[in-house]
């Protein structure tokens, strides 16, 4: 659906100082979390509301002072206002993410998790936070089996079984502790007011609500919030979420520890373990087994990013538990020996598709949660290994999927590899934002509740949906004879494809980007990067270019722009097989221009278009 291009933007003045909370253990409510301002820190100002003019949603903006790009105009505006009031890129990212929890509640929110990548302009260092959801500590490899057989996917999605411990609030606090300059409570104010006063419903929001209408109707709390009066929200109406406003206000007062230790934690556990389904609905909803101890012991992981050198650039992204960084990085290494800038459009797409196929074959065999699995991330990202895989690609033939993985620990040129296994399904409802500031700091942040609408279960009186992230685990091994690194386990993080990415040259930012889309995230980021770096496309055009997605499957998915083009026929002559996908991914990015200005870019059409903004527009 085409998203309305005009929305009422409510901007709020925000400022403040850092909240001091340990990343590994959010504090219990009541414990003081606010130190005295650091020397030289700007004095915190009380949030003062001011209505912004109605603004048009645009996919590209250029100027000074910093930039924000997201799928939503209200969310981007919240981040920009933080930058205008002296906040940095991390502050802006948190404010933007919180606003997305209001306006994009079916894609993200405090009931989910994600991955945060940060570039520090002072140290020229890239760091990451793994805020992925975790399985209950009672979970094992049989979590999604009944009578020895996998439970139907649709039954698991809408259940307590699919809900992992949320990581988003802890991610926000950890990022602010490490790199922020404002209090969480201050940064939540724009989203709190947006939830209380409401935002304008567009066709995308209505369409996504409609696709969830049957299951929302079976949960009274979801029905009351998203189907007021039993009806779908009308395009152009104002959608309010006062419960979420109160939840944000509570997190602002007490800190995120309120979600992991307090009454809110008890509400989450109760909802997961006794899903509040309408008894007259006839829907069987399996309970989960989440405990207060699971929430209390949740920790984010601060870890090193993946790093890949490509065309003289340093490409940083997320290490496992996400497969995004290793898989994008391996594919880039496979493509390194091909001059894609001089390749025909057909050869470029052929090489890109084949590199994706190979990298996905290796992803499925080797990548899982490194706390439980021996993941050879360094070896997967070695150029030596990529060269042994790249020689599989021929310009006059097509590899067959499922392709067998190689062994990065013992690389052999053009080896047939181990036994092949297909790529498992991942939900596509995620969101991505990018932010930068006047000091040169950059954030790429991808967050999610998994499927569109998550589990479908709203925490009563709290205003947010719970994730169904545990469905990213393999329910059972695709082949019992081949080890699957992505089976459930106690406290384990399910494998993700999220790939928030920051690219540097000589230690300085060139571009940052990311996308939603489940497993298509990897191919979306890869194609956008190669379009920008190799094909010389402006960032907004690299984002808008029609996409292909090959994930070690028999058929490659094509968007209409490629499906309807002559390039499809040319590729089919080589042996490629395709199926049509109306929309793949929804990228946002920021670029540092040579003259010091920032360029923010987002989708022109996908998901109704994105919202790119800068602090001070100007040539």
């Amino acid at each position: 659906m085409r998203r309305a291009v005009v929305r009422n933007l409510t901007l709020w003045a925000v400022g403040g100082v850092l909240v001091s909370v340990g990343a590994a253990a959010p504090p219990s409510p009541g414990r003081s979390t606010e130190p005295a301002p650091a020397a030289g820190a700007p004095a915190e100002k009380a949030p003062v509301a001011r209505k912004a003019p109605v603004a048009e949603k645009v996919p590209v903006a250029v100027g000074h002072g910093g930039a924000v790009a997201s799928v939503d105009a209200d969310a981007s505006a919240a981040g920009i206002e933080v930058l205008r009031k002296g906040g940095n890129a991390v502050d802006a990212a948190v404010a933007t993410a919180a606003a997305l929890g209001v306006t994009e509640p079916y894609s993200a929110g405090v009931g989910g998790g994600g991955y945060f990548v940060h570039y520090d302009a002072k140290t020229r260092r890239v760091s990451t936070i793994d805020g992925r959801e975790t399985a209950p500590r009672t979970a094992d490899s049989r979590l999604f089996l009944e009578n020895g057989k996998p439970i139907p996917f649709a039954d698991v999605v809408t259940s307590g079984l699919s809900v992992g411990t949320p990581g988003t609030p802890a991610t926000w606090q950890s990022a602010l502790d490490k790199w922020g300059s404002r209090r969480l409570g201050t940064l939540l104010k724009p989203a709190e007011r947006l939830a209380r006063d409401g935002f304008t419903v567009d066709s995308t929001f209505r369409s996504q609500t409609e696709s969830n209408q049957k299951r929302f109707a079976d949960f009274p709390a979801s029905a009351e919030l998203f189907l007021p009066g039993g009806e779908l929200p009308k395009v152009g109406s104002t959608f309010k979420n006062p419960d979420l406003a109160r939840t944000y206000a509570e997190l602002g007062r007490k800190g995120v520890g309120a979600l992991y230790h307090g009454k809110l934690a008890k509400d989450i556990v109760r909802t997961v373990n006794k899903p509040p389904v309408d008894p007259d609905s006839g829907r069987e909803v399996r309970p989960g087994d989440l405990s207060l101890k699971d929430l209390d012991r949740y920790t984010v992981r601060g870890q090193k990013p993946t790093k890949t050198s490509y065309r003289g650039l340093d490409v940083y992204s997320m290490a496992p538990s996400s497969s995004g960084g290793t898989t994008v990085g391996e594919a880039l290494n496979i493509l390194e020996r091909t001059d894609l800038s001089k390749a025909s459009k057909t050869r470029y797409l052929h090489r890109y598709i084949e590199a994706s196929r190979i990298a996905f074959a290796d992803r499925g065999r080797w990548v899982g949660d490194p706390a439980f699995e021996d993941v050879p991330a360094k070896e997967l990202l070695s150029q030596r290994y990529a060269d042994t895989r790249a020689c599989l690609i021929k310009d006059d033939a097509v590899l067959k999927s499922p392709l067998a993985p190689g062994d990065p620990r013992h690389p052999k040129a053009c080896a047939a590899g181990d036994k092949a296994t297909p790529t498992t399904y991942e939900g596509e409802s995620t969101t991505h934002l990018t932010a930068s500031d006047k000091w040169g700091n950059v954030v790429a942040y991808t967050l999610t509740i998994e499927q569109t609408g998550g589990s479908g279960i709203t925490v009563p009186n709290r205003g947010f949906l719970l994730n169904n992230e545990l469905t990213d685990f393999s329910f059972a091994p695709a082949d019992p004879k081949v080890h699957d690194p992505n089976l459930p386990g106690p406290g384990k993080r399910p494998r993700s494809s999220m790939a928030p990415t920051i690219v540097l040259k000589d230690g300085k930012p060139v571009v940052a980007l990311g996308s939603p889309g489940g497993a298509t995230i990897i191919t979306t980021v890869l194609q956008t990067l190669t379009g920008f770096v190799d094909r010389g496309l402006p960032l907004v055009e690299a984002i808008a270019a029609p996409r292909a997605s090959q994930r070690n499957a028999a058929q490659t998915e094509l968007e209409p722009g490629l499906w309807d083009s002559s390039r499809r026929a040319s590729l089919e002559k080589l042996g490629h097989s395709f199926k049509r996908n109306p929309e793949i991914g929804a990228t946002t990015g920021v670029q540092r221009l040579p003259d010091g200005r920032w360029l923010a870019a987002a989708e022109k059409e996908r998901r109704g278009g994105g919202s790119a903004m800068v602090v001070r527009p100007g040539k």
Side-chain angles (χ1 to χ4, degrees):
M1 290 287 186
R2 175 72 178 167
R3 184 181 291 272
V5 296
V6 176
R7 260 192 175 171
N8 291 320
L9 307 181
T10 305
L11 301 181
W12 295 85
V14 289
V17 295
L18 178 65
V19 181
S20 179
V21 180
S28 300
R31 190 194 310 174
S32 175
T33 63
E34 300 190 15
E44 181 156 354
K45 301 177 182 178
V48 179
R50 65 180 179 85
K51 277 282 187 180
V54 175
E56 184 175 329
K57 193 177 187 184
V58 296
V60 62
V62 180
H64 300 273
V68 177
S70 80
V71 73
D72 181 75
D74 288 317
S76 295
I80 286 294
E81 189 64 12
V82 168
L83 295 175
R84 284 179 179 152
K85 297 299 179 181
N88 64 25
V90 171
D91 304 323
V94 171
T96 302
L100 286 169
V102 180
T103 60
E104 302 288 320
Y106 308 143
S107 298
V110 293
Y115 298 94
F116 195 102
V117 180
H118 174 256
Y119 168 78
D120 188 311
K122 286 185 178 180
T123 63
R124 297 189 177 185
R125 178 183 178 185
V126 177
S127 305
T128 74
I129 299 172
D130 180 336
R132 184 65 157 162
E133 302 88 338
T134 55
R137 293 178 182 271
T138 56
D140 59 23
S141 62
R142 299 165 296 175
L143 179 65
F144 297 128
L145 301 180
E146 286 184 357
N147 300 318
K149 296 182 179 180
I151 304 169
F153 186 84
D155 293 345
V156 176
V157 166
T158 309
S159 76
L161 274 178
S162 68
V163 182
T165 300
T168 291
T171 299
W172 294 349
Q173 192 59 68
S174 178
L176 293 174
D177 288 347
K178 293 173 183 289
W179 312 297
S181 68
R182 299 292 187 261
R183 294 176 54 251
L184 177 65
T186 303
L187 299 174
L188 292 179
K189 285 297 182 181
E192 179 188 336
R193 187 54 63 97
L194 186 60
R196 182 179 299 116
D197 291 350
F199 62 91
T200 303
V201 172
D202 57 29
S203 58
T204 299
F205 186 84
R206 178 183 167 88
S207 175
Q208 291 178 341
T209 308
E210 186 174 20
S211 68
N212 281 286
Q213 187 172 9
K214 289 184 178 180
R215 62 180 188 145
F216 282 175
D218 291 342
F219 297 95
S222 297
E224 181 181 1
L225 177 57
F226 299 116
L227 301 169
E231 301 291 332
L232 291 169
K234 295 181 179 179
V235 174
S237 65
T238 299
F239 187 90
K240 299 180 180 181
N241 191 341
D243 286 342
L244 183 56
R246 286 188 287 270
T247 297
Y248 278 156
E250 182 176 348
L251 293 176
R253 291 192 311 272
K254 300 179 180 179
V256 300
L259 187 140
Y260 294 98
H261 312 289
K263 292 181 180 179
L264 179 51
K266 293 179 181 178
D267 289 344
I268 291 172
V269 169
R270 185 185 308 112
T271 303
V272 171
N273 296 344
K274 294 182 179 180
V277 64
D278 182 347
D280 296 328
S281 69
R283 182 185 290 272
E284 179 186 356
V285 181
R286 288 169 172 81
D289 191 24
L290 193 69
S291 71
L292 289 172
K293 186 173 289 186
D294 289 319
L295 269 70
D296 182 70
R297 293 185 178 180
Y298 179 83
T299 61
V300 299
R301 291 178 185 163
Q303 60 190 48
K304 291 183 179 180
T306 60
K307 180 183 178 182
T308 307
S309 295
Y310 185 69
R311 316 293 193 210
L313 303 172
D314 293 321
V315 182
Y316 295 88
S317 190
M318 279 305 309
S321 59
S322 179
S323 65
T326 55
T327 312
V328 170
E330 181 184 349
L332 288 173
N333 286 338
I334 289 171
L335 293 170
E336 179 77 42
R337 307 300 189 197
T338 302
D339 188 349
L340 296 179
S341 67
K342 297 180 180 179
S344 68
K345 291 181 179 179
T346 298
R347 186 169 186 258
Y348 160 67
L349 286 169
H350 170 67
R351 287 266 164 173
Y352 151 72
I353 288 170
E354 296 293 74
S356 299
R357 190 192 312 271
I358 294 168
F360 263 91
D362 293 337
R363 163 193 183 268
R365 172 62 183 86
W366 298 107
V367 182
D369 184 344
F372 293 78
E373 305 289 337
D374 183 12
V375 182
K378 181 179 179 181
E379 291 83 357
L380 282 169
L381 287 169
S382 73
Q383 188 63 51
R384 177 190 174 206
Y385 178 62
D387 291 344
T388 68
R389 300 293 275 161
C391 67
L392 293 170
I393 302 176
K394 309 299 181 185
D395 282 334
D396 59 352
V398 174
L399 296 167
K400 292 184 178 180
S401 288
L403 182 72
D407 188 343
R409 302 165 305 178
H410 306 288
K412 296 180 180 178
C414 305
D418 210 339
K419 190 165 184 178
T421 57
T423 297
T424 54
Y425 173 79
E426 285 181 45
E428 297 187 2
S429 186
T430 300
T431 195
H432 178 83
L433 66 94
T434 43
S436 61
D437 61 34
K438 63 184 178 182
W439 298 283
N441 304 303
V442 181
V443 171
Y445 182 22
T446 312
L447 60 161
T448 185
I449 59 171
E450 179 61 4
Q451 185 135 331
T452 302
S455 65
I457 305 172
T458 298
V459 180
N461 304 312
R462 295 298 189 171
F464 64 88
L465 288 157
L466 292 170
N467 68 82
N468 66 294
E469 212 65 58
L470 301 189
T471 59
D472 274 355
F473 283 123
S474 303
F475 285 22
D479 185 335
K481 296 179 182 179
V482 179
H483 176 70
D484 188 332
N486 192 41
L487 292 172
K492 191 174 183 179
R493 286 163 155 83
R495 182 173 60 208
S496 170
S497 295
M498 288 182 268
T501 300
I502 296 177
V503 180
L504 308 181
K505 183 175 178 59
D506 299 326
K508 296 181 180 181
V510 174
V511 69
L513 55 86
S515 176
T520 70
I521 292 172
I522 290 168
T523 57
T524 297
V525 170
L526 177 63
Q527 188 174 354
T528 305
L529 276 175
T530 56
F532 176 75
V533 173
D534 293 301
R535 307 298 284 181
L537 296 175
L539 182 58
V540 70
E541 299 303 329
I543 289 171
R547 293 182 184 136
S549 181
Q550 168 53 240
R551 305 186 299 280
N552 198 23
Q555 292 185 299
T556 299
E557 297 176 10
L558 293 184
E559 286 189 324
L562 286 173
W563 180 266
D564 297 330
S565 75
S566 60
R567 289 191 291 282
R568 174 164 71 98
S570 299
L571 290 164
E572 286 174 337
K573 287 180 181 179
L574 292 176
H576 288 277
S577 178
F578 298 108
K579 65 178 179 179
R580 193 176 186 274
N581 185 331
E583 186 175 276
I584 299 173
T587 305
T588 71
V590 297
Q591 178 186 356
R592 186 70 155 177
L593 299 177
D595 61 7
R597 290 178 300 160
W598 288 107
L599 181 149
E603 297 287 356
K604 293 182 177 180
E605 300 287 342
R606 296 181 186 94
R607 296 200 182 186
S611 174
M613 296 184 182
V614 292
V615 174
R616 297 191 309 278
K619 295 181 179 180

